[in-house]
Amino acid sequence: MLKKERLMTISQLTDQKGIVTVREIVRRLAVSNMTVRRDLDELAKENRLIRIHGGAQSLHYVKDKELSRSEKQQLHVAEKQQIARIVAAKIQNNETIFLGPGTTNELVATHLNVANVRIVTNSLPVFESFEAHHHNYDLCLVGGTYRPHSGAFIGSLTNEFLAKLRMSKAFVSVNGVLNNQATNASPEEGQTQRIALQNSHETYIVADHYKLNFEDFYNFYQLDMVTGLITDPAVTDRDRRHYQMYTNVITNYK
């Protein structure tokens, strides 16, 4: 395929899907990672798409559906790693911690280095990550109705069991944060997250800076009710000042 055809195909694919990953383009065009990255950089310079970590976003992108877990895994990886380190640094020995579903929380296990902790989660991928990295931790997987799109267990059984638990700290991921609202795509998942936050002494919303100033379908919690908003250091000064009106904005390990 000629370069001109490649660029046109990538541009069309991005407009069709809204967000497309480098890996997906490599498979589609049967070219190297390096070639795709160069093409994306060129298209971004020509203002034909927006370059994001791990792929590209259409200039005309309007989020009308929730990305799948596998799609989210490819986006903003560096920022998620930074946030996962901050979350891990806030977990102390002998605490009971709730970690909600989300590709950021799935990374926490690789950064956590405390001797004794109990992890409660309704996320199968979070549970599997801790099972792989920490054999000496107490792991509590809250079951219920499985939601494959996010890897989470939700529903009345999940909520009934979680309502009986008390946690030291809860770290809950979101799809969007707009002003005082923490939002996600699934009301059922949001209801479960709300219970975990209500039953924890310290509560944190986890969101990379790309999720700020964005509103998803279901508003499940208020930002001024949590201990802090954990985001990555790339957050703008303007956004930091804005969200500090509602809660403590945390971007480092202290």
Side-chain angles (χ1 to χ4, degrees), residues 161-180:
F161 183 78
L162 193 58
K164 298 177 182 179
L165 306 182
R166 296 297 180 269
M167 282 76 69
S168 310
K169 296 169 183 170
F171 300 89
V172 170
S173 291
V174 298
N175 285 1
V177 177
L178 180 63
N179 298 326
N180 198 31

Side-chain angles (χ1 to χ4, degrees), residues 3 6-7 10 35-44:
K3 180 180 178 181
R6 256 195 350 260
L7 295 178
I10 292 172
T35 297
V36 170
R37 293 181 189 280
R38 281 199 301 262
D39 287 348
L40 290 177
D41 289 339
E42 183 171 334
L43 288 166

Side-chain angles (χ1 to χ4, degrees), residues 130-144:
F130 273 89
E131 188 180 39
H133 291 92
H134 297 284
H135 300 294
N136 57 328
Y137 289 176
D138 290 334
L139 303 180
C140 177
L141 178 61
V142 182

Side-chain angles (χ1 to χ4, degrees), residues 87 90-100 112 114-121 130 137-142 161-162 164-171 196-197 199-204:
V87 171
K90 289 197 165 294
I91 299 174
Q92 306 298 317
N93 290 337
N94 304 312
E95 289 187 322
T96 296
I97 302 298
F98 177 83
L99 286 172
L112 191 57
V114 294
N116 182 44
V117 71
R118 178 189 289 118
I119 300 295
V120 179
T121 185
F130 273 89
Y137 289 176
D138 290 334
L139 303 180
C140 177
L141 178 61
V142 182
F161 183 78
L162 193 58
K164 298 177 182 179
L165 306 182
R166 296 297 180 269
M167 282 76 69
S168 310
K169 296 169 183 170
F171 300 89
L197 290 166
N199 288 2
S200 301
H201 295 292
E202 290 185 26
T203 54
Y204 298 92

